[in-house]
Amino acid sequence: MRNAIELGDGFVVTTDNSGGIGEKTHDIVAVPDRVTAYFAARVVLLEQWAVQANPVSVLIHNFTGSDSWGAYVAGVEDVFREANMEIPVITGSTETNMQLMQSAVAVTMIGKKREVPVETDCAWFVYGAPLVGNEVLDRREEIASLRMIKEAMDSGLIQKIWPVGSKGILAEYRRLKEDLQVEIETETDVDIHSSAGPSTSVLLGINVHNVEKARQMIGGPIYKINEIDGFRNDT
């Protein structure tokens, strides 16, 4: 499990937040509030998928102000439309007593785990470029597609996903493998140390017999991860 919390009876909670990104004068990254909410919700949805769950409700924690609420809701809805999923109930609250100088929002999802086949002969791949800050806006065509991931998951071509965050591909792969010593390389020149910001990169676990089918369905480049001999800690 990555960052999800299990509540029992198959329910899980995932969350992400964003600060200093939005439409306020003092924000560090200037983007529409709708875009801010989209990328926060994107991370949270990927965290749900990482534990084989789909959201049943969404909470928005809005510290930016009441004028931003509608844009935040729209940004969350955009994530579900991109993934071709039904939009769940969206609710939450807005801080109206204090006016912050910078934008701040958090998105929390409650999801329900689904039955999935047991993983077999799984190889790991990187999908999407690691991007952060203004790179996310300037190079959106390099971001892992939610729709493609969802379609490949539903078809059984992807057995497992693992979002990449600010610590980069190598750090997330080590978390996945529960091994702080493992070293890796990829099929192409991908920066395995760079931040992937709002999970612009995703690790995909694909059955070795379905790799070519997965490549064809996803369309965008996916790069195999290879562990470097001599570095794996098996003690």
Side-chain angles (χ1 to χ4, degrees):
M1 182 177 294
R2 194 172 183 271
N3 292 326
I5 297 176
E6 293 196 19
L7 301 179
D9 295 327
F11 288 99
V12 295
V13 175
T14 58
T15 191
D16 190 58
N17 58 71
S18 176
I21 303 174
E23 301 179 17
K24 292 199 170 191
T25 303
H26 296 283
D27 283 336
I28 298 169
V29 178
V31 297
D33 289 334
R34 183 169 183 166
V35 173
T36 304
Y38 165 85
F39 280 107
R42 170 194 172 85
V43 173
V44 185
L45 178 59
L46 287 168
E47 294 276 12
Q48 289 279 324
W49 289 350
V51 292
Q52 306 290 0
N54 284 320
V56 296
S57 62
V58 180
L59 299 172
I60 298 175
H61 316 272
N62 170 24
F63 298 92
T64 307
S66 56
D67 290 345
S68 298
W69 177 260
Y72 284 155
V73 170
V76 172
E77 292 175 340
D78 288 341
V79 165
F80 289 97
R81 290 192 187 95
E82 179 186 338
N84 198 26
M85 298 174 66
E86 182 178 346
I87 298 172
V89 175
I90 301 174
T91 186
S93 65
T94 298
E95 170 60 70
T96 56
N97 292 310
M98 300 294 176
Q99 295 295 317
L100 276 65
M101 296 181 68
Q102 291 181 306
S103 301
V105 65
V107 177
T108 299
M109 293 184 186
I110 300 173
K112 179 77 170 178
K113 297 182 76 170
R114 56 192 176 87
E115 294 292 331
V116 294
V118 176
E119 298 170 31
T120 57
D121 297 325
C122 186
W124 286 93
F125 294 77
V126 176
Y127 173 41
L131 305 171
V132 68
N134 287 317
E135 291 178 333
V136 177
L137 303 177
D138 297 337
R139 299 164 59 184
R140 292 190 69 160
E141 71 281 357
E142 300 178 48
I143 297 173
S145 164
L146 295 177
R147 181 180 294 269
M148 292 296 98
I149 294 173
K150 184 65 164 58
E151 289 181 1
M153 287 174 57
D154 290 345
S155 68
L157 294 178
I158 294 177
Q159 294 185 316
K160 184 74 174 176
I161 80 162
W162 191 275
V164 179
S166 60
K167 294 183 180 179
I169 293 167
L170 175 59
E172 294 293 355
Y173 189 79
R174 286 174 168 173
R175 288 182 64 189
L176 170 67
K177 292 290 186 174
E178 298 181 344
D179 184 350
L180 296 178
Q181 305 301 318
V182 66
E183 294 289 340
I184 64 172
E185 60 185 9
T186 59
E187 290 178 320
T188 191
D189 186 19
V190 175
D191 188 342
I192 61 174
H193 303 286
S194 176
S195 169
S199 295
T200 58
S201 291
V202 180
L203 305 184
L204 303 179
I206 303 173
N207 183 282
V208 293
H209 302 294
N210 291 330
V211 172
E212 290 308 314
K213 290 181 180 179
R215 288 185 191 274
Q216 293 173 10
M217 172 170 281
I218 292 172
I222 59 175
Y223 306 114
K224 190 174 186 300
I225 295 174
N226 295 310
E227 295 184 8
I228 301 175
D229 291 341
F231 286 91
R232 183 67 189 266
N233 179 17
D234 293 318
T235 59

